[in-house]
Amino acid sequence: MALTADIPLASKGSFLITPNVGLMIWTIVVFLISLLILRRWVFPRIAAALDSRATAISNEIDHAADVRKEAEKVLDEYRERLKEARAQSEEIVQRARQSAEAHEKEGKDRGKELITEAQHRAEREIEVATRRALDDLRREVADLTVMAAEKVTRKTLGEADQRRLVEEALGELDFSGISSN
């Protein structure tokens, strides 16, 4: 009999295959108690956390949609200002041309020299006025872009990030319709 004591348990028959009723009952009891504890205290907390997270996400989506609508409204306003700036620059060009024609009629004796000088001066003034208007518009678009980005991300951006966002926003605007003539 001393030999049988040295034989491993698996060689006598697998303990996993032979049913042990007492072990099965205790396993079922422990499982049911664990399930009851989970169902009673853990699952409601998980469900509440998931519900609050879903509500927070929904609120953030609604807020982002509102911010986007506001940003689109501001962008439309600035597009309108850009149209006004273009109209003003065309008016300035028209006035400059009329002024040049009036000077030509008045001073034919000094005509060509004075007209050329007046046209160059008017073009420079138009170019300077256009640049100022565009610079002002770019600054305003930049400020609004940064404000909208801060609202969306709810944090203040660093100087480099602000400049990058401004450059991206300005790159999307169409300034090709404004010329220096």
Side-chain angles (χ1 to χ4, degrees), residues 153-167:
T153 59
R154 290 189 178 184
K155 67 176 185 177
T156 302
L157 299 174
E159 183 70 24
D161 290 334
Q162 287 179 356
R163 289 196 184 277
R164 182 182 53 81
L165 287 174
V166 167
E167 293 301 322

Side-chain angles (χ1 to χ4, degrees), residues 115-151:
I115 290 173
T116 304
E117 183 181 329
Q119 284 178 342
H120 288 306
R121 185 175 50 246
E123 288 174 359
R124 284 192 303 266
E125 289 175 1
I126 291 168
E127 187 175 325
V128 168
T130 303
R131 284 184 187 157
R132 281 189 203 139
L134 287 176
D135 288 341
D136 290 342
L137 187 60
R138 283 183 180 135
R139 279 193 291 275
E140 289 182 32
V141 167
D143 291 341
L144 286 172
T145 302
V146 170
M147 183 179 14
E150 286 177 352
K151 284 184 180 179

Side-chain angles (χ1 to χ4, degrees), residues 31-99:
F31 175 75
L32 290 175
I33 290 171
S34 298
L35 186 62
L36 179 66
I37 290 171
L38 287 173
R39 192 169 193 196
R40 186 81 157 169
W41 290 288
V42 177
F43 291 155
R45 287 185 181 177
I46 292 173
L50 290 175
D51 288 342
S52 68
R53 181 69 178 146
T55 303
I57 290 172
S58 176
N59 290 341
E60 288 296 323
I61 289 172
D62 292 342
H63 179 69
D66 292 341
V67 168
R68 182 178 178 173
K69 286 178 185 176
E70 186 177 324
E72 287 174 357
K73 181 180 173 183
V74 168
L75 183 60
D76 289 340
E77 288 176 11
Y78 280 101
R79 285 182 179 158
E80 185 64 33
R81 286 186 183 179
L82 181 61
K83 287 179 186 177
E84 291 173 6
R86 286 179 181 165
Q88 288 175 354
S89 67
E90 289 174 11
E91 183 181 327
I92 291 171
V93 169
Q94 185 63 30
R95 278 193 246 151
R97 286 181 184 159
Q98 290 173 354
S99 173

